[in-house]
Amino acid sequence: MTPPQHGHNRSSRIAGFHRKSPQERRELVAAFAGLDDETTRHLADMGNLPAPLADKMIENVIATMNIPIGVATNMKIDGEDVLVPMATEESSVVAAVCNAARQTYEEGFTTSVSGTLMIAQVQAVDVPDPYAARLRLLERRDEIKSICDACDPLLVRLGGGFRDVEVRILDTLGGTMVITHLIVDTRDAMGANAVNTMAEKIAPHIAGWTGGRVFLRILSNLADRRLARAHAVWKLDAIGGASVRDGIISAYQFAAADPYRAATHNKGIMNGISAVVLATGNDSRAVEAGAHAYAARDGRYTSLTRYEINGNGDLSGSIELPLAVGLIGGATKIHPTAQACLKILGVTTAERLARIIAAVGLAQNFSALKALATVGIQSGHMALHAQNIAIMAGAVGDEVEAVAQVLVEQKTVRIDVAQEVLGRMRG
Ligand code: MEV
């Protein structure tokens, strides 16, 4: 098929697009966008995610996006060595975790979780007597429990299910709302499906009991009943002395006091966290939303980690954040790469996965702060970035490392310089 000129006669109204095969959709998209054959062939290579599977995961599939998975070494978590697969497009992220973990390898990270409880919210408006309605709902706890548990007998058999009901009276722009929280133990599932089903099932009853109108029935990503925690000690001699320790603490104090800095500080934490969440096929946006909402829980956005000097004068770091991740359901279960990553991690519970992820977040943050408080991140970052630039300039094989090295030595990591260096190398 000859692709039309880009921008000519293009309509995004493609009837039955969703019913077509990935191949047919690719052809349509290629025609729309004027893609050349090489680009279309590139899109057709679905890598290690079989096309029929990809086509079932989301709608209107035409291709897959490959992101490298790197493995973080040196991690010891609760006394057990683990290799942590991390899927990320950003250089230095994996190296940062390896470095932080190496500097505390002897003792490693200690972790815990607050539970595996998820929250579903049901919104009721126009309730005539909100305070009494709240009590009417609380009185029906047993009935609510049996309706919720009946939605997911398997979850109940596995030890999960409804745990509690809470009712909040909320002042809003649209008047008073009665917000019911279902607290559900979702065990090894992330739990979105389980709690959303329960919320939808209970909603008509809530409408009846409150006398109001029910609109939203959906989980909360502020999963603050599912906190994961990790802490570690970095000995002074391992990190380069008291001034490094003090620099890291000062960096933390900066983030704790300033949302502009805290956003970047937490972004670095999420570099590590989201990479493991993605590698295991979990919902990275759910975890990101939960993390940032938790960071603002006291009304001002702040740091997810803390650093202190312990009784021995060493650096004591800790992290606590919601981590709604699961082992069953969703992409985790069907994506073969996610399954392979879970095998590498050797986790058999969602709780253990959350604990490992928390430790990775802390490790990531430690390395970022250490670099920022000392040499800065550009030297380390640029070494890796230089390789990307070398590749972009056309370097292949051994040329990549060689060109990158020259760029770093000259302290000019730019594509035009890389092209020049490559040209000289090739004579
Ligand atoms: C870059 O992706 C992450 C950092 O900016 C994190 C931080 O500043 O703490 C280095």
Side-chain angles (χ1 to χ4, degrees):
M1 154 184 333
T2 339
Q5 285 300 302
H6 190 81
H8 180 68
N9 261 350
R10 301 193 314 155
S11 170
S12 64
R13 304 271 300 150
I14 307 176
F17 192 72
H18 67 286
R19 281 192 298 274
K20 306 213 179 288
S21 70
Q23 159 88 23
E24 289 166 329
R25 289 189 205 114
R26 245 182 340 259
E27 280 164 12
L28 286 162
V29 170
F32 178 94
L35 301 183
D36 58 28
D37 288 349
E38 197 190 332
T39 308
T40 313
R41 267 198 307 279
H42 170 78
L43 291 175
D45 178 359
M46 305 283 262
N48 58 11
L49 183 61
L53 201 55
D55 198 28
K56 284 208 172 51
M57 287 177 68
I58 66 164
E59 308 73 41
N60 294 356
V61 166
I62 62 158
T64 58
M65 174 80 186
N66 279 291
I67 297 287
I69 293 176
V71 166
T73 54
N74 308 327
M75 291 293 280
K76 187 189 284 172
I77 301 176
D78 302 311
E80 201 184 307
D81 281 44
V82 269
L83 290 177
V84 187
M86 303 175 66
T88 179
E89 88 300 342
E90 184 170 339
S91 57
S92 305
V93 165
V94 178
V97 173
C98 299
N99 288 336
R102 183 175 38 74
Q103 292 166 65
T104 182
Y105 177 72
E106 289 310 316
E107 288 194 30
F109 297 81
T110 305
T111 68
S112 60
V113 295
S114 69
T116 46
L117 301 179
M118 294 297 284
I119 300 167
Q121 299 189 291
V122 181
Q123 173 203 26
V125 304
D126 299 338
V127 176
D129 54 348
Y131 289 93
R134 174 173 174 269
L135 301 192
R136 290 198 294 278
L137 291 173
L138 293 176
E139 284 158 10
R140 285 172 173 81
R141 185 183 183 281
D142 291 348
E143 199 177 340
I144 295 171
K145 174 177 166 51
S146 59
I147 294 167
C148 288
D149 282 345
C151 294
D152 203 335
L154 178 61
L155 179 63
V156 175
R157 263 211 308 288
L158 293 170
F162 174 93
R163 288 290 179 271
D164 210 353
V165 57
E166 292 172 0
V167 185
R168 298 163 55 225
I169 310 288
L170 206 62
D171 268 332
T172 78
L173 294 172
T176 303
M177 295 183 188
V178 176
I179 309 297
T180 305
H181 283 195
L182 305 173
I183 318 287
V184 182
D185 190 342
T186 62
R187 310 298 282 194
D188 288 325
M190 183 274 192
N193 273 328
V195 302
N196 290 344
T197 305
M198 291 178 189
E200 292 198 359
K201 197 78 181 176
I202 206 72
H205 299 276
I206 289 183
W209 294 326
T210 59
R213 290 187 299 147
V214 164
F215 287 115
L216 270 60
R217 300 139 289 163
I218 185 77
L219 93 168
S220 169
N221 285 123
L222 177 48
D224 61 0
R225 312 295 175 95
R226 203 170 189 170
L227 301 176
R229 306 168 175 132
H231 62 98
V233 170
W234 281 273
K235 297 222 165 69
L236 275 196
D237 53 359
I239 62 174
S243 78
V244 176
R245 175 200 66 194
D246 295 344
I248 292 172
I249 291 178
S250 181
Y252 151 65
Q253 290 166 342
F254 178 13
D258 176 25
Y260 283 94
R261 173 55 207 157
T264 323
H265 177 102
N266 291 342
K267 188 275 183 184
I269 292 171
M270 300 315 286
N271 276 345
I273 288 183
S274 294
V276 188
V277 172
L278 188 59
T280 57
N282 274 287
D283 183 340
S284 54
R285 289 84 54 218
V287 170
E288 295 269 353
H292 295 295
Y294 191 69
R297 68 194 176 283
D298 294 328
R300 189 169 54 84
Y301 187 83
T302 187
S303 167
L304 288 166
T305 52
R306 292 172 194 276
Y307 292 89
E308 307 158 281
I309 302 177
N310 75 2
N312 298 324
D314 296 321
L315 179 71
S316 174
S318 53
I319 186 169
E320 181 179 59
L321 79 165
L323 267 172
V325 290
L327 300 185
I328 51 181
T332 302
K333 200 68 189 171
I334 61 172
H335 198 305
T337 310
Q339 282 294 307
C341 288
L342 288 175
K343 283 194 188 121
I344 296 169
L345 284 164
V347 291
T348 53
T349 62
E351 176 188 322
R352 173 76 179 161
L353 177 59
R355 292 159 67 143
I356 291 173
I357 295 174
V360 167
L362 178 60
Q364 185 72 48
N365 183 237
F366 165 88
S367 277
L369 298 191
K370 186 180 173 205
L372 289 167
T374 56
V375 294
I377 59 157
Q378 285 311 77
S379 56
H381 196 72
M382 278 303 162
L384 286 161
H385 183 56
Q387 297 193 8
N388 291 338
I389 295 292
I391 292 168
M392 281 162 65
V396 287
D398 292 345
E399 289 172 347
V400 176
E401 192 62 50
V403 172
Q405 213 174 330
V406 177
L407 297 184
V408 170
E409 275 161 14
Q410 293 185 357
K411 293 193 172 33
T412 44
V413 184
R414 289 199 332 244
I415 185 130
D416 54 326
V417 180
Q419 277 157 345
E420 207 181 290
V421 173
L422 187 63
R424 267 208 309 275
M425 257 174 206
R426 289 177 174 173

